[in-house]
Amino acid sequence: MITLFLAYFADLSIIIPTIIAIIRRGYFSTDIYKLIGIYGFLTLLRNTVTLVMNQLGVYNIYIYNWHNLLEFILIAIIYKIAVKNHYFKYLAIGGILIVICTAFLDYNTLLNAKTKDFNQFSYNVSGFIAIVFILFYFYQLLKSLHVPNLTRYPLFWFSAGALLYYAGTIFSYIFIETTFNSTIELRQQYWMIDAVLSIVFSLFLCFSIWYMKPAKD
């Protein structure tokens, strides 16, 4: 019962930052802010579609696999813009190519609408590279000290939430793959971790959108 409640609550938690984004839609003044908004909308779309498909008894795992690929591309583009380093731009492009190639190594999970499997490469590789990108960004942020108050900086909140989510779920996805034939109770514990971290990420996304400011003339 608790697992089911957390799963639904995690899916619905993205509605809160979406409402804030609609209220403050005029504040998406930079490319990074717009990409963060697209990231949130893409998550809302995934949660809505998969929830409806689940109620109808339709296979929806491939939706998660495509979403994971698309959200990583957004992550890479966000930090390609945010990190002011010439070589990092090539690193971001390389990361996108690596994730796309590794995702299609398990192409059946993307192209088979009736698949019951998560992409065994995409989740782990994209999660690891996303963590590297975020840590690289935090290193630049602390080194340059160009942000006077981190707690009022939108990309800080987004990055902190993304780091917690990816760092927490990358291991749970590995455990799901290696213990898939174990008890249902054990598998549910891993999904509880994912659900809780999704809720935390949605909360951080709320702060990220709330602190967005309009562009100065």
Side-chain angles (χ1 to χ4, degrees):
M1 181 64 71
I2 296 178
T3 304
L4 186 61
F5 171 77
L6 281 175
Y8 281 115
F9 190 75
D11 284 342
L12 296 175
S13 64
I14 192 63
I15 295 176
I16 302 175
T18 301
I19 293 174
I20 297 176
I22 293 173
I23 295 174
R24 299 175 63 84
R25 58 187 179 275
Y27 291 73
F28 290 85
S29 54
T30 68
D31 291 337
I32 291 178
Y33 293 175
K34 291 174 183 176
L35 288 168
I36 291 175
I38 293 173
Y39 186 100
F41 174 76
L42 192 64
T43 303
L44 174 66
L45 183 62
R46 181 205 65 181
N47 291 355
T48 303
V49 171
T50 54
L51 187 61
V52 172
M53 293 174 71
N54 182 61
Q55 295 300 315
L56 296 175
V58 180
Y59 294 96
N60 60 15
I61 298 299
Y62 75 99
I63 299 294
Y64 287 95
N65 293 327
W66 275 108
H67 175 264
N68 181 72
L69 180 59
L70 294 176
E71 73 174 2
F72 173 80
I73 293 174
L74 286 175
I75 285 281
I77 296 174
I78 287 173
Y79 292 105
K80 178 179 178 293
I81 297 173
V83 176
K84 306 303 181 183
N85 182 290
H86 177 71
Y87 297 103
F88 185 85
K89 298 182 184 300
Y90 296 105
L91 181 63
I93 295 173
I96 293 174
L97 294 176
I98 289 173
V99 171
I100 291 175
C101 291
T102 53
F104 276 93
L105 287 176
D106 197 10
Y107 64 89
N108 187 61
T109 60
L110 294 172
L111 303 179
N112 181 9
K114 293 185 178 181
T115 184
K116 297 180 181 179
D117 301 318
F118 287 97
N119 192 299
Q120 58 182 325
F121 302 108
S122 176
Y123 280 87
N124 300 329
V125 175
S126 64
F128 175 76
I129 297 178
I131 291 172
V132 172
F133 286 176
I134 297 169
L135 290 178
F136 200 108
Y137 168 71
F138 276 136
Y139 171 75
Q140 176 193 265
L141 200 60
L142 294 174
K143 183 179 179 180
S144 62
L145 297 176
H146 71 279
V147 179
N149 189 348
L150 286 178
T151 61
R152 300 180 67 86
Y153 190 51
L155 191 53
F156 166 78
W157 284 105
F158 177 83
S159 301
L163 182 60
L164 287 173
Y165 178 77
Y166 283 113
T169 56
I170 186 174
F171 297 107
S172 65
Y173 284 128
I174 294 174
F175 291 147
I176 288 172
E177 290 295 328
T178 57
T179 61
F180 194 76
N181 293 322
S182 59
T183 64
I184 295 177
E185 290 78 11
L186 187 58
R187 279 179 279 165
Q188 288 178 339
Q189 291 180 14
Y190 300 136
W191 286 116
M192 287 179 66
I193 295 173
D194 184 278
V196 170
L197 291 173
S198 294
I199 295 170
V200 172
F201 195 4
S202 293
L203 178 62
F204 278 53
L205 193 57
C206 290
F207 286 107
S208 177
I209 297 173
W210 182 259
Y211 284 118
M212 290 180 182
K213 302 295 182 183
K216 295 181 179 180
D217 295 333

